[in-house]
């Protein structure tokens, strides 16, 4: 795994550049990402390019032996451009423009803006495409950041009508597919259809779902435009994008078909603070991040690219200290920057790059840590990077093999659930995370894969929910002898988000008679046990075999041959019990890890990580392990500690 950093030469006096580059190389970094927000310096006025400074920056980095990932600057269109076509601004769901003064103030559907992007990307790709220091290109920056995928601008509305006409061909077909007879919502022409927002009450769910699908396709098309230009001007270089954490507003699998590798931006402390983790979890992991946050995304993004690029991924931005954007922004526990980096290596990352080289003393992100302080003194993360840079030289990390467990992830499933949650806390990203986390607490390695991914070779396959079950996927699953587990609501909807004539899991003889959502505090338990179901429960599978039955008599875990269906949302403890059963049934070796310990098995090694604030004794979990076996670390693993030893994979 290579190490790198994000650098903004335009933020610093040129007198600092040579020293910065030399210090990066000394630290053990070999990659630098630059350029992604520099449009106003590259093209200060319409059509007047100023390449001289960027040429010198590229040369300076190259002279220090660094390789460059060049970002296209399309996340930050300059003021003159916005003023030249004010209708390029995105319009939010309340009908308000997303104005100039920060970033991402554009609508993906605006044709004029797309043409301007094509122009600036072509100019950059022609200038640097064959430069020997350019190793890769990053398109734009974090598509969707600051909630920018859904826009209801005129350009988007027009694009949506065309998208609908392509999909349904006739307006009659659309009216039938959506069920527009309800509340007299029938249309006579595609031209009559608006984006499904600003309605009096809830808009038609099929309309909302199609708008999400359309908006997602717009992001992919916007990206593909840049990729094509870069590929023709910069042969042999990787093209990547930096995706975000817990962000599902567009289909990353679809977009990634055009990329060579997927990368993501890892801010474990910010994510813990900003998302739906419980107060107990926030308190326990304030300075470490929940033990599965980074790993979940590593495994998700490892599953993005396919074919020759299968399992190619990296971390484009790694949190190096406190961030500026969460409600509270604590400092990581000493050692966490190194631990997060090792966790990326253990999941097969090609590189881990820190955001950012030096903390900037001005503008929006002045409170965000870098590897250096604004006065150029090393910040606490710096020494940890130095340590891992040395350690990496001595550990062979070549294998990035398939795991034995697959978790099927679908963006479309997320949009269905979000469009029609039925219970306020039925959240797709949390459901998939909880299922993943339960597997990881058993020491299992997991591949998070799309509904299209090859599934051969997995022993256990879990799908937390797929409201619409694709017929092809069912056929593929029926051919496998893996243990297969579906979560609640799987198969409950048609492709257009209505109730299907036949339940998607009818091949299991599954019938669902009723569903209910449970408000916080309302739980249904297993008999004589503290284990409960919360949030969601179904009356399902009457007459079928059930491995777990609630005290009220309802089936929780319905079984038919190697297929299983979980008819509710188990609490975290019950979920772990269920996953343990499934894994054992699938013939997998499981560990009962202490809550703060996680392991990964790759490259003929076990990597162990202590996400807790207390030391852990590894011999409690690995009784055979001797101190002399360890390549890195000790049997007593301190808080934020990493241990690595040679071991063949269990399963
Ligand atoms: C990312 C973004 C960076 C920077 C960083 C701060 O979301 O890509 O440009 O803003 O967050 O943590």
């Amino acid at each position: 795994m290579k190490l790198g950093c994000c650098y903004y030469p335009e933020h610093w006096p040129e007198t600092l550049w040579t020293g910065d580059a030399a210090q990066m190389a000394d630290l053990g970094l070999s990659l630098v990402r630059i350029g992604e927000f520099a449009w106003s310096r590259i093209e200060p006025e319409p059509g007047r390019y100023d390449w001289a400074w960027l040429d010198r920056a590229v040369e300076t980095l190259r002279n220090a032996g660094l390789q460059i990932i060049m970002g296209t600057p399309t996340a930050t269109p300059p003021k003159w451009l916005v003023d030249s076509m004010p209708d390029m601004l995105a319009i939010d769901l309340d009908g308000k423009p997303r104005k100039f003064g920060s970033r991402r103030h554009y609508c993906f559907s605006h044709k004029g803006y797309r043409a301007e992007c094509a122009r600036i990307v072509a100019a950059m790709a022609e200038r640097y495409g064959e430069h020997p220091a350019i190793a890769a290109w990053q398109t734009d920056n974090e598509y969707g950041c600051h909630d920018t995928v859904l826009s209801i601008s005129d350009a988007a509305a027009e694009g949506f009508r065309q998208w609908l006409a392509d999909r349904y061909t006739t307006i009659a077909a659309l009216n039938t597919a959506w069920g527009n007879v309800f509340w007299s919502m029938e249309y006579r022409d595609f031209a009559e259809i608006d984006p499904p927002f600003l309605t009096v009450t809830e808009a038609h769910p099929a309309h909302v779902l199609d708008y999400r699908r359309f908006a997602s396709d717009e992001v992919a098309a916007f990206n593909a435009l840049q990729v094509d230009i870069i590929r023709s001007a910069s042969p042999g270089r990787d093209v990547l994008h930096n995706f975000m954490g817990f962000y599902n507003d567009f289909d990353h699998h679809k977009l990634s078909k055009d990329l060579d590798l997927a990368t993501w931006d890892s801010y474990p402390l910010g994510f813990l603070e900003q998302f739906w983790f419980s107060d107990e979890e926030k308190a326990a992991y304030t300075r470490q991040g929940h033990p599965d946050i980074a790993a979940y995304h590593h495994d998700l993004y490892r599953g993005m690219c396919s074919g020759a690029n299968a399992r190619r991924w990296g971390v484009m931005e790694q949190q190096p200290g406190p961030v500026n954007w969460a409600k509270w922004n604590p400092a990581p526990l000493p050692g966490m920057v190194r631990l997060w980096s090792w966790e990326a290596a253990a999941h097969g990352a090609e590189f881990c790059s820190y955001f950012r080289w030096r903390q900037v003393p001005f503008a929006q992100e002045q409170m965000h840590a870098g590897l250096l302080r604004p006065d150029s003194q090393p910040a606490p993360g710096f020494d940890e990077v130095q340590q891992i840079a040395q350690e990496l030289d001595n550990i062979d990390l070549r294998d990035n093999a398939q795991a034995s467990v697959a978790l099927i992830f679908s963006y479309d499933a997320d949009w269905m659930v979000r469009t029609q949650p039925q219970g306020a806390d039925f959240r797709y990203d949390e459901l998939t995370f909880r299922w993943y986390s339960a597997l990881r607490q058993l020491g299992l390695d997991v591949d998070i894969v799309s509904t299209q991914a090859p599934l051969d070779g997995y022993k256990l396959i879990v799908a937390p929910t797929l409201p619409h079950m694709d017929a092809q996927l069912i056929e593929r699953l029926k051919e496998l002898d893996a243990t297969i587990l579906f979560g609640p609501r799987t198969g409950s909807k048609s492709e257009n988000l209505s109730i299907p004539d036949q339940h998607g899991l009818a091949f299991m003889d599954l019938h669902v008679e009723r569903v209910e959502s449970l408000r916080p505090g309302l739980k249904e338990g297993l008999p004589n046990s503290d284990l409960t179901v919360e949030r969601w429960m179904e009356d399902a599978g009457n007459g079928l075999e059930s491995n777990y039955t609630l005290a009220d008599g309802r089936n929780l875990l319905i079984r038919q041959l190697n297929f299983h269906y979980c008819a509710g949302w188990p609490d975290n403890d019950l979920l772990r019990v269920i996953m343990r059963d499934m894994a054992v049934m699938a013939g997998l070796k499981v560990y009962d890890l202490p809550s703060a310990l996680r392991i990964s098995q790759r490259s003929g090694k076990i990597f162990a990580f202590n996400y807790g604030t207390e030391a852990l004794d590894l011999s409690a979990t690995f009784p055979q392990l001797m101190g002399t076996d360890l390549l890195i670390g000790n049997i007593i693993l301190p808080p934020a500690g990493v241990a690595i030893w040679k071991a063949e994979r269990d399963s």
Side-chain angles (χ1 to χ4, degrees):
M1 184 177 78
K2 293 180 181 169
L3 299 179
C5 71
C6 304
Y7 187 53
Y8 301 91
E10 68 275 22
H11 294 177
W12 309 107
E14 226 173 296
T15 47
L16 290 184
W17 294 358
T18 309
D20 281 346
Q23 197 179 8
M24 289 173 196
D26 273 359
L27 181 60
L29 309 188
S30 57
L31 287 172
V32 193
R33 183 193 65 183
I34 60 171
E36 82 277 12
F37 300 125
W39 197 333
S40 72
R41 286 295 171 97
I42 294 171
E43 192 184 11
E45 287 176 75
R48 181 168 73 76
Y49 295 104
D50 182 358
W51 300 114
W53 71 272
L54 190 52
D55 290 352
R56 289 195 298 277
V58 166
E59 281 317 312
T60 305
L61 297 169
R62 181 195 179 192
N63 290 340
L66 298 161
Q67 293 246 286
I68 294 171
I69 300 176
M70 185 65 89
T72 68
T74 51
T76 48
K79 183 74 164 99
W80 58 257
L81 199 161
V82 177
D83 287 347
S84 74
M85 47 170 131
D87 62 348
M88 64 162 276
L89 295 178
I91 304 292
D92 75 11
L93 304 188
D94 295 322
K96 294 197 297 287
R98 317 235 22 212
K99 296 184 108 176
F100 183 86
S102 63
R103 61 178 171 183
R104 301 215 59 77
H105 40 280
Y106 69 83
C107 175
F108 284 98
S109 302
H110 193 274
K111 294 208 167 61
Y113 185 56
R114 282 200 195 177
E116 283 297 290
C117 291
R119 187 180 57 77
I120 191 73
V121 171
M124 280 183 91
E126 272 154 34
R127 182 119 196 136
Y128 301 109
E130 308 218 59
H131 193 290
I134 305 292
W137 291 83
Q138 174 184 297
T139 54
D140 201 281
N141 187 79
E142 290 191 340
Y143 290 133
C145 185
H146 317 304
D147 248 328
T148 47
V149 164
L150 294 179
S151 157
I152 58 169
S153 72
D154 290 347
E158 203 181 301
F160 180 48
R161 292 177 195 120
Q162 188 54 53
W163 185 93
L164 290 172
D166 293 344
R167 184 176 174 93
Y168 294 99
T169 317
T170 67
I171 197 68
L174 177 144
N175 281 325
T176 309
W178 287 5
N180 283 342
V181 60
F182 189 75
W183 287 351
S184 271
M185 288 182 288
E186 285 163 306
Y187 297 102
R188 294 167 306 155
D189 195 289
F190 289 106
E192 292 180 341
I193 305 178
D194 284 329
F197 304 100
L198 301 174
T199 50
V200 172
T201 182
E202 181 190 350
H204 194 309
H207 190 171
V208 175
L209 177 61
D210 270 352
Y211 203 77
R212 285 193 169 278
R213 289 172 174 158
F214 153 74
S216 171
D217 284 354
E218 292 290 87
V219 181
F222 183 93
N223 182 67
L225 177 71
Q226 300 202 8
V227 173
D228 288 347
I229 294 167
I230 294 166
R231 288 211 189 285
S232 66
S234 191
R237 271 68 171 185
D238 286 329
V239 185
L240 57 86
H241 179 72
N242 59 332
F243 297 106
M244 292 190 287
F246 296 122
Y247 187 78
N248 297 342
D249 270 4
F250 62 94
D251 187 334
H252 296 37
H253 290 124
K254 219 170 181 179
L255 187 144
S256 295
K257 290 202 170 100
D258 295 320
L259 302 176
D260 296 301
L261 75 159
T263 72
W264 80 286
D265 297 342
S266 177
Y267 295 95
L269 302 193
F271 294 148
L272 177 79
E273 184 58 50
Q274 291 302 86
F275 288 94
W276 26 253
F277 293 92
S278 67
D279 287 345
E280 293 74 40
E281 288 168 322
K282 287 187 185 189
Y285 298 117
T286 309
R287 296 188 187 282
Q288 310 93 293
H290 184 289
D292 299 307
I293 290 180
Y296 170 83
H297 292 96
H298 296 338
D299 290 337
L300 174 68
Y301 289 114
R302 198 177 62 240
M304 280 303 143
C305 291
S306 49
N309 293 317
R311 295 198 281 279
R312 291 198 62 197
W313 73 283
V315 175
M316 194 68 253
E317 299 179 12
Q318 174 60 62
Q319 173 165 4
V323 299
N324 64 302
W325 45 263
K327 224 164 160 186
W328 287 278
N329 299 292
L333 210 64
M336 281 317 290
V337 174
R338 167 177 171 262
L339 181 150
W340 290 326
S341 313
W342 267 119
E343 180 88 75
H347 289 253
E350 288 186 18
F351 59 81
C352 178
S353 150
Y354 302 91
F355 182 92
R356 50 187 287 153
W357 173 245
R358 184 190 289 104
Q359 181 174 354
V360 67
F362 46 81
Q364 279 92 329
E365 293 183 348
Q366 53 185 273
M367 301 301 287
H368 193 297
L371 294 179
L372 298 185
R373 301 188 324 212
D375 63 2
S376 295
Q377 293 306 304
F382 188 95
D383 292 346
E384 297 186 28
V385 175
Q386 192 151 42
Q387 184 182 349
I388 187 177
Q390 287 159 6
E391 290 168 337
L392 277 167
D393 286 343
N394 303 319
I395 304 281
D396 174 17
L397 288 169
R398 254 164 289 169
D399 145 44
N400 192 4
Q402 179 171 321
S404 36
V405 183
L407 183 150
I408 301 181
F409 187 99
S410 156
Y411 292 91
D412 207 70
D414 182 312
W415 308 333
M416 286 200 174
V417 168
R418 232 179 315 165
T419 303
Q420 200 172 63
Q422 182 70 3
D425 49 8
F426 199 111
R427 286 182 284 261
Y428 183 78
D429 52 1
E430 185 176 359
L431 180 72
T432 52
F433 179 84
R434 296 297 178 194
W435 279 45
Y436 174 87
S437 178
L439 293 161
R440 295 286 298 151
Q441 290 167 50
L442 299 166
L444 296 165
D445 288 314
V446 181
D447 285 348
I448 302 183
V449 301
S450 81
T451 54
Q452 321 274 313
L455 293 168
D456 300 312
Y458 291 110
K459 293 189 174 163
L460 174 62
I461 300 173
V462 304
T465 189
L466 290 171
H468 171 62
M469 260 314 267
D470 172 73
Q472 274 187 342
L473 178 59
I474 295 176
E475 289 315 309
R476 290 203 292 131
L477 289 170
K478 283 207 275 198
E479 277 166 23
L480 303 172
D481 54 13
T483 300
I484 297 173
L485 174 64
F486 302 109
R489 305 176 81 163
T490 298
S492 63
K493 296 291 167 180
S494 73
E495 201 185 355
N496 292 310
L497 199 45
S498 47
I499 297 172
D501 295 340
Q502 175 168 298
H503 193 276
L505 299 184
F507 71 93
M508 278 179 72
D509 290 330
L510 187 85
H511 298 285
V512 177
E513 265 116 56
R514 186 172 69 169
V515 302
E516 61 164 347
S517 52
L518 309 173
R519 72 185 332 283
L522 181 55
K523 298 176 180 197
E524 296 294 341
L526 291 183
N528 311 316
S529 147
D530 292 339
L531 301 172
T532 63
V533 164
E534 48 192 32
R535 304 189 198 203
W536 187 268
M537 189 58 204
E538 305 178 354
D539 297 17
N542 285 334
L544 296 182
E545 194 184 328
S546 173
N547 292 22
Y548 293 90
T549 304
L550 299 188
D552 66 12
R554 283 185 286 180
N555 290 334
L556 177 62
L557 199 81
I558 297 144
R559 174 172 189 178
Q560 187 71 303
L561 304 169
N562 56 328
F563 290 100
H564 302 78
Y565 179 74
C566 180
W569 184 305
D571 67 28
N572 293 340
D573 292 337
L574 177 52
L575 193 56
R576 198 170 50 240
V577 171
I578 291 174
M579 289 302 172
R580 194 178 200 291
D581 271 10
M582 292 287 123
V584 168
M585 204 179 297
L588 296 168
K589 161 131 178 76
V590 296
Y591 297 88
D592 291 304
L593 298 179
S595 56
L597 181 66
R598 289 296 181 277
I599 60 168
S600 278
Q601 301 187 51
R602 275 217 176 73
S603 300
K605 299 177 187 64
I606 294 184
F607 300 75
F609 303 100
N610 183 359
Y611 280 88
T613 49
E614 309 281 330
L616 287 169
D617 183 352
L618 286 174
S619 62
T621 310
F622 302 96
Q624 317 295 341
L625 185 64
M626 310 291 290
T628 48
D629 295 336
L630 290 160
L631 304 169
I632 282 185
N634 293 305
I635 301 254
I636 301 299
L637 199 58
V642 177
I644 304 174
W645 65 97
K646 284 201 177 135
E648 283 317 308
R649 227 166 123 158
D650 292 321
S651 39

